[in-house]
């Protein structure tokens, strides 16, 4: 088996736009466009980008919660895009997802015991009553919730605790891979740090691989070994997180990092202020989608979409006029 | 010293709920100066927004009730004037922008209509044509391209960043002395947030208004505010100028908040340490502990904090630096 747990190859997802009285297809939104990356076992890949750039669609396409239009998702050496429903159900035991809003993703009428038991019932795990009970308590312990939480309902918990329940539910089937879709965005700063620490501990103890989707670059940079940056459905840069902050080659990455407010009032601001808005993915600009907001754009950028260039074995970007590293 | 525009003294706001009364804001003091920005920071439920709404007298009564305190705006106590007269101040002398620009704009009126409405209410001497001209000028001021066309458009035709610009244009149409911005960039993407913050700063320099900026993002505070007040459970726990607060936080809660933000300066390759956190969670307002509200989450907690010496008071420890703690960090 290869060292990579997950390999995504040229994944595309198009959403048709229906129009007219007959509901014909009048266009398509390229939500995810030709995205490829690999994640090693036990590694965290961060995925950042602004709203509407296709982060969530990508995360869900990998789990086939949204059916990808084309491309391959190779998990443990098998292309799961070809799987039928039964194989997929079996496979979902290995791949789980944690959603952004812990208020919306827990059934308000189920107790925590019910919520955590359901995935185990579906996959016929720990069916013995004693074993099940022990497993439930272990799960609560892993996410640092008290044992008496079992008989409570979601509304009795705060946002951070609910997110812990969501994490415990994902862990219930002992997955190898978890997509974390903005798991801390809805939480307060002090609670956010607790959940980030919990996820990092779980990874260390259980060796779980994460795809960590977030728009908060500080959190992503912190938790991930490598970070991928998306813009309008395309992956524009992927690199080691330590390399990306200082050594970004794509102008968008650099602008994105410089836009984050730094919690230090003494720092000199050398912010790159991007002009304009994010274009609509229904009608993306020609050539490189970033060219209307880019300060390095040339005629070439307006005509063609740049291919992938490799800076090193771990650092790839898509840009005709990358930032020269002496510029930084 | 700059002119003091807003002076909130010992504000107490209570709410009657089915589960009993809660004090959402408990003895808050704030000062906003002309041309300066005061940041009001705190986690959800700490009473930031209730404080802002009280200044505008927008607290729904009942269930809410401003139980005590003074809100001095220039030389008037806003709590003394009749609610009807408040309307001539709201949107005129004090303006407010909210977090979610989509829900604060009316979807069935054009952008131009909504800006003109403000002028219609507060600058009755203007003619229709003058109002339109002024609305276009406001849109241009906030950096909306081709404002002559945009003025005819509806909110759904604009992006999130554009909508927030329209909100700012509306709030500044009457050149208010005080702008209250309640999480103005929380719903926006970082690159758009940077644009909006830059715009607010620029407009402040041009128009000289005081800003009360409510946010939970300490990064935003560090970049835009002159002074900061940190709120916890309805009380201000620390207030100082922005440089002092970030360099020498005195309250353990402030320090915890600052430390729990991941920073970029981690050296490459090395295994990252755990993020420092504040253990536990915010206590329920229905069930606040005796003594210091932060005792359950504090590292330096002592017997004194648990109620034997009453509640800690906001003490002045240096010029312009106050902290509500029995054991301030040195």
């Amino acid at each position: 088996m290869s060292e990579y747990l997950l390999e995504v190859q040229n994944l595309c997802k198009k959403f048709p736009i229906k129009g007219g009285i007959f509901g014909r297809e009048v266009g398509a939104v390229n939500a995810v466009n030709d995205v490829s990356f690999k994640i090693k076992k036990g590694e965290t890949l961060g995925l950042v980008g602004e709203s509407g750039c296709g982060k969530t669609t990508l995360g869900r396409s990998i789990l086939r919660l949204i059916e990808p239009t084309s491309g391959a998702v190779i998990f443990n050496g098998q292309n799961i895009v070809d799987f039928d429903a039964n194989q997929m159900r079996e496979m979902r035991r290995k791949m789980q997802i944690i959603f952004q809003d812990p208020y919306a993703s827990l059934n308000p009428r189920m107790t925590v015991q019910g919520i955590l038991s359901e995935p185990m019932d579906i996959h016929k795990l720990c069916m013995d009553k004693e074993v099940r009970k022990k497993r439930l308590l272990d799960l609560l312990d892993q996410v640092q919730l008290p044992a008496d939480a079992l008989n409570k309902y979601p509304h009795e918990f705060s946002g951070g605790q609910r997110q812990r329940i969501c994490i415990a539910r994902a862990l219930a089937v002992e997955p190898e891979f978890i997509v974390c879709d903005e798991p801390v965005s809805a939480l307060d700063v002090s609670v956010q740090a607790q959940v980030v620490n919990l996820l990092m501990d779980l990874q260390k103890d259980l060796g779980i691989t994460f795809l960590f989707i977030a728009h908060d670059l500080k959190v992503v940079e912190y938790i991930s070994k490598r970070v991928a940056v998306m813009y309008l459905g395309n992956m524009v840069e992927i690199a080691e997180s330590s390399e990306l902050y200082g050594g970004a080659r794509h102008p968008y990455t650099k602008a994105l990092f410089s836009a984050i407010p730094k919690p230090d009032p003494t720092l000199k601001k050398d912010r790159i202020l991007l002009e304009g808005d994010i274009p609509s993915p229904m009608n993306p600009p020609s050539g490189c989608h970033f060219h209307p907001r880019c300060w390095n754009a040339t005629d070439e950028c307006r005509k063609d979409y740049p291919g992938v260039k490799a800076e090193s074995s771990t650092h790839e970007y898509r840009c005709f006029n990358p930032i020269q590293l002496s510029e930084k | 010293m700059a002119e003091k525009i807003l002076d909130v003294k010992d504000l107490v706001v209570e709410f009657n709920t089915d589960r009993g009364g809660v004090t959402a804001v408990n003895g808050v003091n704030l000062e906003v100066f002309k041309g300066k920005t005061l940041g009001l920071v705190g986690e959800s439920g700490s009473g930031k927004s209730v404080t802002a709404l009280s200044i505008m007298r927008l607290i729904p009564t009942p269930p809410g009730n401003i139980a005590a305190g003074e809100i001095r705006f220039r030389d008037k106590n806003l709590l003394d004037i009749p609610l009807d007269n408040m309307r001539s101040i709201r949107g005129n002398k004090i303006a407010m922008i909210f977090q979610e620009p989509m829900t604060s704009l009316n979807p069935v009126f054009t952008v131009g209509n909504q800006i003109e409405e403000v002028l219609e209410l507060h600058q009755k001497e203007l003619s229709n044509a003058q109002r339109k001209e002024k609305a276009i000028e406001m849109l241009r001021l906030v950096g909306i391209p081709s404002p002559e066309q945009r003025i005819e458009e509806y909110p759904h035709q604009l992006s999130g960043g554009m909508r927030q610009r329209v909100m700012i244009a509306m709030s500044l149409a009457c050149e208010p002395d005080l702008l209250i911005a309640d999480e103005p960039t929380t719903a926006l993407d970082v690159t758009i947030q940077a644009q909006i913050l830059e715009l607010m700063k620029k407009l402040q320099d041009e128009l000289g208004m005081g800003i009360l900026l409510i946010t939970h993002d300490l990064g935003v505070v560090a970049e835009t505010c002159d002074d900061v007040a940190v709120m916890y459970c309805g009380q201000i726990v620390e207030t100082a100028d922005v440089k002092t607060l970030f360099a020498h936080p005195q309250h353990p809660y402030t320090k915890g908040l600052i430390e729990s933000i991941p920073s970029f300066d981690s050296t490459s390759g090395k295994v990252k340490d755990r993020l420092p956190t504040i253990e536990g969670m915010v206590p329920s307002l229905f069930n606040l502990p005796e003594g210091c509200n932060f005792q359950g989450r504090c590292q330096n907690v002592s017997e004194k904090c648990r109620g034997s010496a009453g509640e800690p008071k906001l003490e002045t420890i240096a010029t312009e630096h106050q902290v509500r703690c029995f054991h301030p960090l040195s």
Side-chain angles (χ1 to χ4, degrees), chain A residues 46-57:
Chain A
L47 186 59
V48 293
E50 294 178 276
S51 41
C53 73
K55 319 183 283 290
T56 297
T57 309

Side-chain angles (χ1 to χ4, degrees), chain A residues 119-255:
Chain A
M120 295 194 260
D121 287 338
I122 290 168
H123 292 287
K124 307 271 183 299
L125 298 171
C126 305
M127 294 312 277
D128 179 77
K129 211 172 162 191
E130 286 301 303
V131 180
R132 169 68 62 89
K133 185 86 189 169
K134 188 167 176 305
R135 175 79 184 131
L136 288 173
L137 292 175
D138 281 352
L139 280 172
L140 287 181
D141 188 50
Q142 269 174 350
V143 297
Q144 294 152 26
L145 284 174
D148 62 7
L150 272 188
N151 296 316
K152 290 188 182 171
Y153 288 88
H155 74 260
E156 296 176 72
F157 296 93
S158 68
Q161 288 175 316
R162 281 186 220 200
Q163 201 56 287
R164 287 168 196 266
I165 299 171
C166 294
I167 295 171
R169 175 173 63 183
L171 292 176
V173 292
E174 298 173 0
E176 292 173 36
F177 174 65
I178 299 181
V179 173
C180 306
D181 191 358
E182 307 246 15
V184 296
S185 310
L187 306 177
D188 275 319
V189 201
S190 68
V191 181
Q192 181 174 312
Q194 293 173 3
V195 174
V196 167
N197 280 341
L198 173 66
L199 287 170
M200 288 174 89
D201 287 349
L202 289 173
Q203 179 164 50
K204 213 163 30 182
D205 297 344
L206 307 172
I208 301 171
T209 310
F210 286 126
L211 175 65
F212 192 92
I213 304 173
H215 64 263
D216 186 336
L217 284 99
K218 287 181 293 224
V219 173
V220 170
E221 203 263 358
Y222 193 82
I223 198 169
S224 318
K225 189 157 180 295
R226 288 189 305 140
V227 176
V229 182
M230 281 185 82
Y231 187 73
L232 275 184
N234 291 285
M235 192 171 280
V236 295
E237 187 155 14
I238 180 166
E240 299 272 327
S241 57
S242 48
E243 202 177 340
L244 206 55
Y245 178 49
R249 301 299 305 274
H250 199 287
Y252 177 65
T253 315
K254 193 168 169 60

Side-chain angles (χ1 to χ4, degrees), chain A residues 50-51 201 222 271 274, chain B residues 189 191 195 223 273-274 278:
Chain A
E50 294 178 276
S51 41
D201 287 349
Y222 193 82
R271 174 174 294 164
L274 284 182
Chain B
D189 283 312
T191 59
Q195 292 174 355
E223 297 213 342
D273 302 332
R274 293 170 60 86
I278 307 174

